[in-house]
CSV table of all heavy atoms in Angstrom, one decimal:
chain,number,residue,atom,x,y,z
A,30,GLN,N,-82.6,70.4,71.8
A,30,GLN,CA,-82.5,69.3,70.8
A,30,GLN,C,-83.8,68.5,70.7
A,30,GLN,O,-84.2,68.2,69.6
A,30,GLN,CB,-81.3,68.3,71.1
A,30,GLN,CG,-80.0,69.1,71.3
A,30,GLN,CD,-79.6,69.6,69.9
A,30,GLN,OE1,-79.5,68.8,69.0
A,30,GLN,NE2,-79.2,70.8,69.8
A,31,ILE,N,-84.3,68.1,71.9
A,31,ILE,CA,-85.6,67.3,72.0
A,31,ILE,C,-86.4,67.8,73.1
A,31,ILE,O,-85.8,68.1,74.1
A,31,ILE,CB,-85.2,65.8,72.2
A,31,ILE,CG1,-84.3,65.2,71.1
A,31,ILE,CG2,-86.5,65.0,72.5
A,31,ILE,CD1,-83.8,63.8,71.4
A,32,MET,N,-87.7,67.9,72.9
A,32,MET,CA,-88.6,68.2,74.0
A,32,MET,C,-89.8,67.3,73.9
A,32,MET,O,-90.4,67.1,72.9
A,32,MET,CB,-89.2,69.6,73.9
A,32,MET,CG,-90.1,70.0,75.0
A,32,MET,SD,-90.2,71.7,75.3
A,32,MET,CE,-91.8,72.1,74.8
A,33,ILE,N,-90.0,66.5,75.1
A,33,ILE,CA,-91.1,65.5,75.2
A,33,ILE,C,-92.0,66.0,76.2
A,33,ILE,O,-91.6,66.1,77.4
A,33,ILE,CB,-90.4,64.1,75.5
A,33,ILE,CG1,-89.4,63.8,74.4
A,33,ILE,CG2,-91.5,63.1,75.5
A,33,ILE,CD1,-88.6,62.6,74.8
A,34,ALA,N,-93.2,66.2,75.8
A,34,ALA,CA,-94.2,66.6,76.8
A,34,ALA,C,-95.2,65.5,77.1
A,34,ALA,O,-96.0,65.7,78.1
A,34,ALA,CB,-95.0,67.9,76.3
A,35,SER,N,-95.2,64.4,76.3
A,35,SER,CA,-96.2,63.3,76.5
A,35,SER,C,-95.6,62.1,75.9
A,35,SER,O,-94.7,62.1,75.2
A,35,SER,CB,-97.6,63.7,76.0
A,35,SER,OG,-97.5,63.8,74.6
A,36,GLY,N,-96.4,61.0,76.2
A,36,GLY,CA,-95.9,59.7,75.6
A,36,GLY,C,-95.1,58.9,76.6
A,36,GLY,O,-94.5,59.4,77.4
A,37,GLY,N,-95.2,57.6,76.5
A,37,GLY,CA,-94.5,56.7,77.3
A,37,GLY,C,-94.8,56.8,78.8
A,37,GLY,O,-94.1,56.4,79.6
A,38,GLY,N,-96.0,57.4,79.1
A,38,GLY,CA,-96.4,57.5,80.5
A,38,GLY,C,-95.9,58.7,81.1
A,38,GLY,O,-96.1,59.0,82.4
A,39,LEU,N,-95.2,59.6,80.4
A,39,LEU,CA,-94.7,60.9,81.0
A,39,LEU,C,-95.7,61.7,81.6
A,39,LEU,O,-96.7,62.1,80.9
A,39,LEU,CB,-93.8,61.6,79.9
A,39,LEU,CG,-93.0,62.8,80.5
A,39,LEU,CD1,-91.8,62.2,81.2
A,39,LEU,CD2,-92.5,63.6,79.3
A,40,ASP,N,-95.6,62.0,82.9
A,40,ASP,CA,-96.7,62.8,83.6
A,40,ASP,C,-96.1,63.3,84.8
A,40,ASP,O,-95.8,62.6,85.8
A,40,ASP,CB,-97.8,61.8,83.9
A,40,ASP,CG,-99.0,62.6,84.6
A,40,ASP,OD1,-99.1,63.8,84.5
A,40,ASP,OD2,-99.9,61.9,85.0
A,41,LEU,N,-95.9,64.6,84.8
A,41,LEU,CA,-95.2,65.4,86.0
A,41,LEU,C,-93.9,64.7,86.3
A,41,LEU,O,-93.7,64.3,87.5
A,41,LEU,CB,-96.2,65.4,87.2
A,41,LEU,CG,-97.5,66.1,87.0
A,41,LEU,CD1,-98.4,65.8,88.1
A,41,LEU,CD2,-97.3,67.5,86.6
A,42,PRO,N,-92.9,64.7,85.4
A,42,PRO,CA,-91.7,64.0,85.6
A,42,PRO,C,-90.9,64.8,86.7
A,42,PRO,O,-91.0,66.0,86.9
A,42,PRO,CB,-90.9,64.2,84.3
A,42,PRO,CG,-91.6,65.4,83.6
A,42,PRO,CD,-93.0,65.3,84.0
A,43,ASN,N,-90.2,64.0,87.6
A,43,ASN,CA,-89.5,64.7,88.7
A,43,ASN,C,-88.1,64.2,89.0
A,43,ASN,O,-87.4,64.7,89.7
A,43,ASN,CB,-90.4,64.6,90.0
A,43,ASN,CG,-90.7,63.2,90.3
A,43,ASN,OD1,-90.0,62.2,89.9
A,43,ASN,ND2,-91.9,63.0,90.9
A,44,ALA,N,-87.7,63.1,88.3
A,44,ALA,CA,-86.3,62.6,88.5
A,44,ALA,C,-85.9,61.9,87.2
A,44,ALA,O,-86.7,61.4,86.5
A,44,ALA,CB,-86.1,61.7,89.7
A,45,ILE,N,-84.6,61.8,87.0
A,45,ILE,CA,-84.1,61.3,85.7
A,45,ILE,C,-82.7,60.6,85.9
A,45,ILE,O,-82.0,60.9,86.9
A,45,ILE,CB,-83.8,62.5,84.7
A,45,ILE,CG1,-83.4,62.0,83.3
A,45,ILE,CG2,-82.9,63.5,85.3
A,45,ILE,CD1,-83.4,63.1,82.3
A,46,ALA,N,-82.5,59.6,85.1
A,46,ALA,CA,-81.3,58.8,85.1
A,46,ALA,C,-81.0,58.3,83.7
A,46,ALA,O,-82.0,58.1,82.9
A,46,ALA,CB,-81.3,57.6,86.0
A,47,ILE,N,-79.8,58.2,83.4
A,47,ILE,CA,-79.4,57.7,82.0
A,47,ILE,C,-78.6,56.3,82.2
A,47,ILE,O,-77.7,56.4,82.9
A,47,ILE,CB,-78.5,58.7,81.3
A,47,ILE,CG1,-79.4,60.0,81.0
A,47,ILE,CG2,-78.1,58.1,79.9
A,47,ILE,CD1,-78.6,61.2,80.4
A,48,ASP,N,-79.0,55.3,81.5
A,48,ASP,CA,-78.4,54.1,81.7
A,48,ASP,C,-77.2,53.9,80.8
A,48,ASP,O,-76.9,54.9,80.0
A,48,ASP,CB,-79.3,52.9,81.6
A,48,ASP,CG,-79.9,52.6,80.1
A,48,ASP,OD1,-79.3,53.2,79.1
A,48,ASP,OD2,-80.9,52.0,80.0
A,49,GLY,N,-76.4,52.8,80.9
A,49,GLY,CA,-75.2,52.6,80.1
A,49,GLY,C,-75.5,52.6,78.6
A,49,GLY,O,-74.5,52.7,77.8
A,50,ASN,N,-76.7,52.4,78.1
A,50,ASN,CA,-77.0,52.4,76.7
A,50,ASN,C,-77.5,53.8,76.2
A,50,ASN,O,-77.9,53.9,75.1
A,50,ASN,CB,-78.0,51.3,76.4
A,50,ASN,CG,-77.5,49.9,76.7
A,50,ASN,OD1,-76.4,49.6,76.3
A,50,ASN,ND2,-78.3,49.0,77.2
A,51,GLY,N,-77.5,54.7,77.1
A,51,GLY,CA,-77.9,56.1,76.7
A,51,GLY,C,-79.4,56.2,76.8
A,51,GLY,O,-80.0,57.3,76.4
A,52,GLN,N,-80.2,55.2,77.3
A,52,GLN,CA,-81.6,55.4,77.5
A,52,GLN,C,-81.9,56.2,78.7
A,52,GLN,O,-81.2,56.1,79.7
A,52,GLN,CB,-82.2,54.0,77.6
A,52,GLN,CG,-82.1,53.2,76.3
A,52,GLN,CD,-82.5,51.8,76.4
A,52,GLN,OE1,-82.5,51.2,77.4
A,52,GLN,NE2,-82.9,51.2,75.3
A,53,VAL,N,-83.0,57.0,78.6
A,53,VAL,CA,-83.3,58.0,79.6
A,53,VAL,C,-84.5,57.4,80.4
A,53,VAL,O,-85.5,57.1,79.9
A,53,VAL,CB,-83.7,59.4,79.0
A,53,VAL,CG1,-84.0,60.4,80.1
A,53,VAL,CG2,-82.6,59.9,78.1
A,54,TRP,N,-84.3,57.3,81.7
A,54,TRP,CA,-85.4,56.9,82.6
A,54,TRP,C,-85.9,58.0,83.5
A,54,TRP,O,-85.1,58.8,84.0
A,54,TRP,CB,-84.8,55.8,83.6
A,54,TRP,CG,-84.3,54.5,82.8
A,54,TRP,CD1,-83.2,54.3,82.1
A,54,TRP,CD2,-85.2,53.3,82.7
A,54,TRP,NE1,-83.3,53.1,81.5
A,54,TRP,CE2,-84.4,52.4,81.9
A,54,TRP,CE3,-86.3,52.9,83.2
A,54,TRP,CZ2,-84.8,51.2,81.6
A,54,TRP,CZ3,-86.8,51.7,82.9
A,54,TRP,CH2,-86.1,50.8,82.1
A,55,VAL,N,-87.2,58.1,83.7
A,55,VAL,CA,-87.8,59.2,84.4
A,55,VAL,C,-88.9,58.6,85.4
A,55,VAL,O,-89.6,57.8,85.0
A,55,VAL,CB,-88.6,60.2,83.4
A,55,VAL,CG1,-89.2,61.3,84.1
A,55,VAL,CG2,-87.5,60.6,82.3
A,56,THR,N,-88.9,59.2,86.6
A,56,THR,CA,-89.9,58.9,87.6
A,56,THR,C,-91.0,60.0,87.3
A,56,THR,O,-90.7,61.2,87.1
A,56,THR,CB,-89.5,58.9,89.0
A,56,THR,OG1,-88.9,60.1,89.3
A,56,THR,CG2,-88.5,57.8,89.2
A,57,ASN,N,-92.3,59.6,87.5
A,57,ASN,CA,-93.3,60.5,87.2
A,57,ASN,C,-94.2,60.7,88.5
A,57,ASN,O,-94.3,59.8,89.3
A,57,ASN,CB,-94.3,59.9,86.1
A,57,ASN,CG,-93.6,59.8,84.8
A,57,ASN,OD1,-93.1,60.8,84.3
A,57,ASN,ND2,-93.4,58.7,84.3
A,58,GLY,N,-94.8,61.8,88.6
A,58,GLY,CA,-95.8,62.1,89.7
A,58,GLY,C,-97.0,61.3,89.8
A,58,GLY,O,-97.7,61.3,90.7
A,59,ASN,N,-97.3,60.5,88.7
A,59,ASN,CA,-98.5,59.6,88.8
A,59,ASN,C,-98.1,58.2,89.2
A,59,ASN,O,-98.8,57.2,88.8
A,59,ASN,CB,-99.2,59.6,87.4
A,59,ASN,CG,-98.4,59.0,86.3
A,59,ASN,OD1,-97.2,58.8,86.5
A,59,ASN,ND2,-99.0,58.8,85.1
A,60,ASN,N,-97.0,58.0,89.9
A,60,ASN,CA,-96.5,56.7,90.4
A,60,ASN,C,-96.2,55.7,89.3
A,60,ASN,O,-96.4,54.5,89.4
A,60,ASN,CB,-97.6,56.0,91.3
A,60,ASN,CG,-97.8,56.9,92.6
A,60,ASN,OD1,-96.8,57.6,93.1
A,60,ASN,ND2,-99.0,56.9,93.0
A,61,THR,N,-95.5,56.2,88.3
A,61,THR,CA,-95.0,55.5,87.1
A,61,THR,C,-93.5,55.7,86.9
A,61,THR,O,-93.0,56.8,87.3
A,61,THR,CB,-95.8,55.6,85.8
A,61,THR,OG1,-95.7,56.9,85.4
A,61,THR,CG2,-97.3,55.2,86.1
A,62,VAL,N,-92.9,54.9,86.0
A,62,VAL,CA,-91.6,55.2,85.5
A,62,VAL,C,-91.7,55.1,84.0
A,62,VAL,O,-92.3,54.2,83.4
A,62,VAL,CB,-90.6,54.2,86.0
A,62,VAL,CG1,-89.2,54.3,85.4
A,62,VAL,CG2,-90.4,54.3,87.6
A,63,SER,N,-91.0,56.1,83.3
A,63,SER,CA,-91.0,56.1,81.8
A,63,SER,C,-89.6,55.9,81.4
A,63,SER,O,-88.6,56.3,82.0
A,63,SER,CB,-91.5,57.5,81.3
A,63,SER,OG,-92.8,57.7,81.7
A,64,GLU,N,-89.4,55.3,80.2
A,64,GLU,CA,-88.2,55.1,79.5
A,64,GLU,C,-88.2,55.6,78.1
A,64,GLU,O,-89.2,55.4,77.3
A,64,GLU,CB,-87.8,53.6,79.5
A,64,GLU,CG,-86.6,53.2,78.8
A,64,GLU,CD,-86.3,51.7,78.7
A,64,GLU,OE1,-87.2,51.0,78.9
A,64,GLU,OE2,-85.2,51.4,78.3
A,65,PHE,N,-87.2,56.3,77.7
A,65,PHE,CA,-87.1,56.8,76.4
A,65,PHE,C,-85.7,56.5,75.8
A,65,PHE,O,-84.7,56.5,76.5
A,65,PHE,CB,-87.2,58.4,76.4
A,65,PHE,CG,-88.5,58.8,76.8
A,65,PHE,CD1,-88.8,59.0,78.2
A,65,PHE,CD2,-89.6,59.0,76.0
A,65,PHE,CE1,-90.1,59.4,78.6
A,65,PHE,CE2,-90.8,59.4,76.3
A,65,PHE,CZ,-91.2,59.6,77.7
A,66,SER,N,-85.6,56.4,74.4
A,66,SER,CA,-84.3,56.2,73.8
A,66,SER,C,-83.7,57.5,73.8
A,66,SER,O,-84.2,58.6,74.1
A,66,SER,CB,-84.5,55.7,72.4
A,66,SER,OG,-85.1,56.8,71.6
A,67,ASN,N,-82.3,57.6,73.5
A,67,ASN,CA,-81.6,58.8,73.5
A,67,ASN,C,-82.0,59.7,72.3
A,67,ASN,O,-81.5,60.8,72.3
A,67,ASN,CB,-80.1,58.6,73.6
A,67,ASN,CG,-79.6,57.7,72.4
A,67,ASN,OD1,-80.3,57.4,71.5
A,67,ASN,ND2,-78.3,57.4,72.5
A,68,SER,N,-82.8,59.2,71.4
A,68,SER,CA,-83.3,60.0,70.3
A,68,SER,C,-84.7,60.5,70.7
A,68,SER,O,-85.4,61.3,69.9
A,68,SER,CB,-83.4,59.2,69.1
A,68,SER,OG,-84.4,58.1,69.1
A,69,GLY,N,-85.2,60.2,71.9
A,69,GLY,CA,-86.5,60.7,72.3
A,69,GLY,C,-87.7,59.8,72.1
A,69,GLY,O,-88.8,60.2,72.5
A,70,SER,N,-87.6,58.6,71.6
A,70,SER,CA,-88.6,57.7,71.4
A,70,SER,C,-89.0,57.0,72.7
A,70,SER,O,-88.2,56.6,73.4
A,70,SER,CB,-88.3,56.7,70.3
A,70,SER,OG,-88.0,57.3,69.1
A,71,ALA,N,-90.4,56.9,72.9
A,71,ALA,CA,-90.8,56.2,74.1
A,71,ALA,C,-90.5,54.7,74.0
A,71,ALA,O,-90.8,54.1,73.0
A,71,ALA,CB,-92.3,56.5,74.3
A,72,MET,N,-90.0,54.2,75.1
A,72,MET,CA,-89.7,52.8,75.1
A,72,MET,C,-90.6,52.1,76.1
A,72,MET,O,-90.8,50.9,76.0
A,72,MET,CB,-88.2,52.5,75.6
A,72,MET,CG,-87.1,53.3,74.8
A,72,MET,SD,-86.7,52.6,73.2
A,72,MET,CE,-85.9,51.1,73.7
A,73,SER,N,-91.3,52.9,76.9
A,73,SER,CA,-92.2,52.3,78.0
A,73,SER,C,-93.6,52.3,77.3
A,73,SER,O,-93.9,53.0,76.4
A,73,SER,CB,-92.2,53.2,79.2
A,73,SER,OG,-92.3,54.6,78.9
A,74,PRO,N,-94.5,51.6,78.0
A,74,PRO,CA,-95.9,51.6,77.5
A,74,PRO,C,-96.5,53.0,77.6
A,74,PRO,O,-96.0,53.9,78.4
A,74,PRO,CB,-96.7,50.6,78.4
A,74,PRO,CG,-95.6,50.0,79.3
A,74,PRO,CD,-94.3,50.7,79.1
A,75,SER,N,-97.7,53.2,76.9
A,75,SER,CA,-98.3,54.5,76.9
A,75,SER,C,-98.6,55.0,78.3
A,75,SER,O,-98.7,56.2,78.6
A,75,SER,CB,-99.5,54.5,76.1
A,75,SER,OG,-100.5,53.6,76.6
A,76,GLY,N,-98.9,54.1,79.3
A,76,GLY,CA,-99.1,54.5,80.7
A,76,GLY,C,-97.9,54.5,81.6
A,76,GLY,O,-98.1,54.7,82.8
A,77,GLY,N,-96.8,54.2,81.0
A,77,GLY,CA,-95.6,54.1,81.8
A,77,GLY,C,-95.5,52.8,82.5
A,77,GLY,O,-96.4,51.9,82.4
A,78,PHE,N,-94.3,52.4,83.1
A,78,PHE,CA,-94.2,51.2,83.9
A,78,PHE,C,-94.8,51.4,85.2
A,78,PHE,O,-94.6,52.4,85.9
A,78,PHE,CB,-92.7,50.8,84.0
A,78,PHE,CG,-92.0,50.5,82.7
A,78,PHE,CD1,-91.0,51.3,82.3
A,78,PHE,CD2,-92.4,49.4,82.0
A,78,PHE,CE1,-90.3,50.9,81.1
A,78,PHE,CE2,-91.7,49.1,80.8
A,78,PHE,CZ,-90.7,49.8,80.3
A,79,LYS,N,-95.7,50.4,85.6
A,79,LYS,CA,-96.5,50.6,86.9
A,79,LYS,C,-96.1,49.5,87.8
A,79,LYS,O,-95.9,48.4,87.3
A,79,LYS,CB,-97.9,50.6,86.6
A,79,LYS,CG,-98.4,51.7,85.7
A,79,LYS,CD,-99.9,51.6,85.4
A,79,LYS,CE,-100.3,52.8,84.5
A,79,LYS,NZ,-101.7,52.8,84.1
A,80,ASP,N,-96.1,49.7,89.0
A,80,ASP,CA,-95.9,48.6,90.1
A,80,ASP,C,-96.6,49.1,91.4
A,80,ASP,O,-96.5,50.4,91.7
A,80,ASP,CB,-94.4,48.3,90.2
A,80,ASP,CG,-94.2,47.1,91.1
A,80,ASP,OD1,-94.2,47.2,92.4
A,80,ASP,OD2,-94.1,46.0,90.6
A,81,SER,N,-97.1,48.2,92.1
A,81,SER,CA,-97.8,48.6,93.3
A,81,SER,C,-96.8,49.1,94.4
A,81,SER,O,-97.2,49.8,95.3
A,81,SER,CB,-98.6,47.5,93.9
A,81,SER,OG,-97.7,46.3,94.2
A,82,SER,N,-95.5,48.9,94.2
A,82,SER,CA,-94.5,49.4,95.1
A,82,SER,C,-94.2,50.8,94.9
A,82,SER,O,-93.5,51.5,95.8
A,82,SER,CB,-93.3,48.5,95.1
A,82,SER,OG,-92.7,48.7,93.8
A,83,LEU,N,-94.6,51.4,93.8
A,83,LEU,CA,-94.3,52.8,93.5
A,83,LEU,C,-95.2,53.7,94.3
A,83,LEU,O,-96.4,53.6,94.1
A,83,LEU,CB,-94.4,53.1,92.0
A,83,LEU,CG,-93.3,52.4,91.1
A,83,LEU,CD1,-93.6,52.7,89.7
A,83,LEU,CD2,-91.9,53.0,91.5
A,84,SER,N,-94.6,54.6,95.1
A,84,SER,CA,-95.4,55.5,95.8
A,84,SER,C,-94.8,56.9,95.9
A,84,SER,O,-93.7,57.1,96.6
A,84,SER,CB,-95.6,55.0,97.2
A,84,SER,OG,-96.4,55.9,98.0
A,85,ALA,N,-95.2,57.8,95.1
A,85,ALA,CA,-94.6,59.1,95.0
A,85,ALA,C,-93.1,59.0,94.6
A,85,ALA,O,-92.3,59.5,95.4
A,85,ALA,CB,-94.9,59.9,96.2
A,86,PRO,N,-92.7,58.3,93.5
A,86,PRO,CA,-91.3,58.2,93.2
A,86,PRO,C,-90.7,59.5,93.1
A,86,PRO,O,-91.2,60.4,92.4
A,86,PRO,CB,-91.3,57.4,91.9
A,86,PRO,CG,-92.6,57.6,91.3
A,86,PRO,CD,-93.6,57.8,92.5
A,87,ALA,N,-89.5,59.6,93.7
A,87,ALA,CA,-88.7,60.9,93.7
A,87,ALA,C,-87.4,60.9,93.3
A,87,ALA,O,-86.7,61.9,93.2
A,87,ALA,CB,-88.8,61.6,95.1
A,88,GLY,N,-86.8,59.7,93.0
A,88,GLY,CA,-85.4,59.6,92.6
A,88,GLY,C,-85.3,58.2,91.8
A,88,GLY,O,-86.1,57.3,92.0
A,89,ILE,N,-84.2,58.2,90.9
A,89,ILE,CA,-84.1,57.1,90.2
A,89,ILE,C,-82.5,56.9,89.9
A,89,ILE,O,-81.8,57.9,89.7
A,89,ILE,CB,-84.9,57.0,88.8
A,89,ILE,CG1,-84.8,55.7,88.0
A,89,ILE,CG2,-84.4,58.2,88.1
A,89,ILE,CD1,-85.9,55.6,87.0
A,90,ALA,N,-82.0,55.6,89.8
A,90,ALA,CA,-80.6,55.3,89.4
A,90,ALA,C,-80.6,54.1,88.8
A,90,ALA,O,-81.5,53.2,88.9
A,90,ALA,CB,-79.8,55.3,90.7
A,91,ILE,N,-79.5,53.9,87.9
A,91,ILE,CA,-79.3,52.7,87.2
A,91,ILE,C,-78.0,52.1,87.7
A,91,ILE,O,-76.9,52.8,87.6
A,91,ILE,CB,-79.3,52.9,85.7
A,91,ILE,CG1,-80.4,53.8,85.2
A,91,ILE,CG2,-79.3,51.6,84.9
A,91,ILE,CD1,-81.8,53.3,85.4
A,92,ASP,N,-77.9,50.8,88.1
A,92,ASP,CA,-76.6,50.3,88.6
A,92,ASP,C,-75.8,49.8,87.4
A,92,ASP,O,-76.3,49.7,86.3
A,92,ASP,CB,-76.8,49.3,89.7
A,92,ASP,CG,-77.4,48.0,89.3
A,92,ASP,OD1,-77.5,47.6,88.2
A,92,ASP,OD2,-77.9,47.3,90.2
A,93,LEU,N,-74.6,49.3,87.5
A,93,LEU,CA,-73.8,48.8,86.5
A,93,LEU,C,-74.3,47.6,85.8
A,93,LEU,O,-73.9,47.3,84.7
A,93,LEU,CB,-72.4,48.5,87.1
A,93,LEU,CG,-71.5,49.8,87.5
A,93,LEU,CD1,-70.2,49.4,88.1
A,93,LEU,CD2,-71.4,50.7,86.4
A,94,GLY,N,-75.2,46.8,86.6
A,94,GLY,CA,-75.8,45.6,86.0
A,94,GLY,C,-77.0,46.0,85.2
A,94,GLY,O,-77.6,45.1,84.6
A,95,GLY,N,-77.4,47.2,85.1
A,95,GLY,CA,-78.6,47.6,84.4
A,95,GLY,C,-79.9,47.6,85.2
A,95,GLY,O,-80.9,47.9,84.6
Side-chain angles (χ1 to χ4, degrees):
Q30 301 294 306
I31 298 171
M32 180 156 110
I33 305 166
S35 64
L39 192 69
D40 185 11
L41 300 172
N43 54 29
I45 186 172
I47 298 173
D48 69 19
N50 295 319
Q52 294 172 333
V53 181
W54 293 81
V55 179
T56 58
N57 296 298
N59 66 348
N60 296 327
T61 64
V62 174
S63 298
E64 177 187 12
F65 295 89
S66 70
N67 59 6
S68 64
S70 299
M72 308 282 291
S73 50
S75 62
F78 295 116
K79 300 176 183 180
D80 189 273
S81 61
S82 66
L83 293 173
S84 178
I89 189 165
I91 316 296
D92 68 20
L93 293 176

